[in-house]
Amino acid sequence: NDSKNSIDLGASWIWPESNPNMDQLAKKLDVEKISEGDGAFRFKDGSQTIALKLAEKLCSNENVKIMLQCSVYSILDSLNKKASNNKKVEIMFSNKSSPEGVERNESMEADAVFIACPPRLTIEKISFQPPFEEGMINAMKSCRTWMAQQGKFIAVYGSAFWRKKRQRKLYWERVSVDGPLDMIFDNNDRIIWGF
């Protein structure tokens, strides 16, 4: 986690009153929040800080293994169902993290699977056995992915020159209704971003 080179593209806002569980997790993981006004906060160094600190905490358990650069393409929920009461789930994935840079198909067993991916992308990218019921599939396909339709822009400067003439940070500043950017934000000491 190189905080000097990380750029927060949003989805890092939290309203503690509306998101008490995430607020509690941030406190437990010692993730600093930055006030954005109107009761909104951002996670210092971006929302990836939550994931990185959670991974660090999980990896302190010898039974936990976190694999990066992998794409799950199949989840089979019937592994060993008849053989024992110890039901396992088989996960099949492509691993792109080999030192040779060669993508390999691999599999692993797990007691449970937690998917942290938008529902529409989950149903498009992962095959499930047994398959979900049609109603669930339709609901997942029609579920809107937050900010998926937005283009984002980042400008990185040597310093926050725009603050010399302003009394406050740029926050939810409307710049255009018809142009390519609708809103801009002051990300940190040298970055402006918008969508």
Side-chain angles (χ1 to χ4, degrees):
N1 180 20
D2 185 354
S3 62
K4 290 182 181 174
N5 292 318
S6 66
I7 298 175
D8 175 9
L9 290 179
S12 301
W13 293 295
I14 179 174
W15 288 263
E17 287 184 20
S18 302
N19 311 111
N21 293 336
M22 184 57 79
D23 189 47
Q24 186 91 18
L25 179 62
K27 286 176 184 170
K28 283 183 181 175
L29 296 173
D30 293 322
V31 175
E32 187 179 336
K33 295 184 310 241
I34 301 165
S35 176
E36 293 289 349
D38 300 329
F41 292 82
R42 252 188 325 107
F43 296 119
K44 185 172 190 252
D45 299 326
S47 58
Q48 69 272 13
T49 307
I50 293 276
L52 292 169
K53 288 201 172 189
L54 189 57
E56 185 180 305
K57 189 172 183 82
L58 288 170
C59 286
S60 65
N61 180 332
E62 65 184 44
N63 295 321
V64 173
K65 181 178 181 180
I66 294 178
M67 298 174 66
L68 303 175
Q69 301 296 318
C70 297
S71 300
V72 173
Y73 60 84
S74 179
I75 298 175
L76 181 63
D77 190 24
S78 58
L79 193 65
N80 298 330
K81 189 180 258 186
K82 294 179 181 174
S84 73
N85 291 333
N86 188 12
K87 186 178 169 188
K88 295 283 185 180
V89 177
E90 183 178 16
I91 303 131
M92 289 174 263
F93 57 95
S94 60
N95 186 344
K96 302 172 184 96
S97 66
S98 71
E100 312 83 43
V102 177
E103 187 172 330
R104 299 182 316 264
N105 288 330
E106 299 181 18
S107 67
M108 66 170 39
E109 291 182 7
D111 295 321
V113 176
F114 297 90
I115 300 172
C117 181
R120 183 180 50 80
L121 295 177
T122 299
I123 205 68
E124 287 175 6
K125 303 289 185 185
I126 302 173
S127 165
F128 291 89
Q129 289 299 323
F132 291 127
E133 293 179 10
E134 188 176 342
M136 175 64 81
I137 292 170
N138 291 336
M140 291 175 78
K141 284 181 177 178
S142 65
C143 189
R144 182 174 171 259
T145 301
W146 174 251
M147 299 294 281
Q149 75 283 6
Q150 298 294 341
K152 294 185 179 181
F153 171 82
I154 303 168
V156 182
Y157 297 97
S159 66
F161 65 86
W162 58 90
R163 288 192 189 158
K164 291 177 184 170
K165 295 183 179 182
R166 296 181 61 85
Q167 295 296 316
R168 60 185 176 84
K169 289 172 59 176
L170 297 169
Y171 175 68
W172 290 105
E173 297 289 323
R174 183 167 282 281
V175 292
S176 172
V177 176
D178 300 322
L181 294 178
D182 184 36
M183 300 278 190
I184 60 170
F185 302 84
D186 181 340
N187 190 284
N188 65 21
D189 290 335
R190 57 192 184 92
I191 298 170
I192 292 178
W193 74 275
F195 59 83

